[in-house]
């Protein structure tokens, strides 16, 4: 009986350690350019991860958004902030960083201000000062990097993330599955 109890405990501990390691994916990630961020979060939907360093004194948010599982070559991914901090209607008014991954090349990154639900993520200015915007693709993972200047005093934000197909190099509507519709949350930057 004691042997069975030890075996059961051993299996339970092994499963807990494995589960813990899988839930800490962002902590185990090493960027190819050895870039380091002070915080990270495994996002709860769409196999995505957010890494960031936030300087509250300058309101600069240095970030990397990683989206895994992009196996098709003609896809887009996006990460956005809703400046109204409205989680219920997070998409409308969101200020997005978009990466388009087309056949045969590195992803192209740009900004887009989302005005409505039927957006095609048209390239345009956003309401945040931004620098160092770029995107990379490694195997089936696309990463968007940028530094944004947030309003002074910002300590949390509503952010959202998404992916979808391209139609003739233009982002088409993402799926409306539960995981897509719930790809948003409030984030404590500190």
């Amino acid at each position: 009986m004691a042997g069975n109890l030890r075996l059961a405990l051993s299996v339970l501990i092994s499963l807990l350690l494995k589960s813990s390691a899988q839930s800490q994916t962002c902590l185990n990630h090493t960027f190819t350019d050895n870039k380091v961020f002070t915080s990270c979060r495994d996002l709860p939907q769409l196999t995505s991860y957010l890494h960031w360093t936030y300087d509250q004194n300058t309101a600069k948010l240095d970030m990397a958004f990683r989206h895994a599982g992009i196996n098709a070559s003609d896809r887009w991914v996006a990460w956005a902030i809703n400046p109204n901090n409205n989680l219920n209607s997070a998409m409308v008014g969101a200020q997005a960083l978009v990466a388009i991954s087309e056949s045969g090349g590195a992803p192209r990154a740009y900004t887009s201000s989302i005005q409505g639900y039927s957006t095609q993520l048209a390239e345009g200015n956003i309401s945040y000062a931004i620098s160092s915007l770029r995107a990379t693709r490694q195997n089936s993972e696309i990463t968007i990097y940028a530094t944004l200047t947030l309003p002074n005093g910002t300590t949390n934000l509503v952010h959202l993330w998404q992916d979808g197909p391209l139609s003739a190099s233009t982002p088409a509507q993402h799926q409306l599955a539960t995981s897509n519709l719930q790809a948003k949350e409030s984030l404590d930057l500190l």
Side-chain angles (χ1 to χ4, degrees), residues 60-185:
K60 297 255 187 221
L61 176 66
D62 189 27
M63 54 75 62
F65 166 73
R66 298 173 34 232
H67 193 314
I70 303 297
N71 295 315
S73 58
D74 294 336
R75 300 287 294 174
W76 62 265
V77 301
W79 178 82
I81 299 172
N82 181 299
N84 300 320
N85 267 346
N86 187 339
L87 194 56
N88 293 326
S89 61
M91 186 173 158
V92 176
Q95 305 297 291
L97 310 180
V98 182
I100 292 181
S101 180
E102 297 179 289
S103 301
R108 181 175 72 87
Y110 65 90
T111 57
S112 179
S113 181
I114 300 172
Q115 301 305 313
Y117 291 109
S118 62
T119 184
Q120 292 184 315
L121 296 173
E123 189 168 351
N125 294 330
I126 61 173
S127 61
Y128 301 105
I130 185 167
S131 62
S132 305
L133 177 61
R134 65 186 177 93
T136 61
R137 181 183 185 121
Q138 186 173 1
N139 301 319
S140 65
E141 183 172 278
I142 295 176
T143 304
I144 300 173
Y145 299 89
T147 301
L148 296 106
T149 303
L150 303 178
N152 286 332
T154 301
T155 58
N156 61 34
L157 51 85
V158 167
H159 71 121
L160 55 155
W161 56 98
Q162 204 55 251
D163 72 85
L166 292 176
S167 175
S169 299
T170 300
Q173 181 176 341
H174 63 75
Q175 292 181 352
L176 298 176
T178 300
S179 59
N180 295 85
L181 298 177
Q182 292 180 353
K184 59 185 177 178
E185 67 178 8

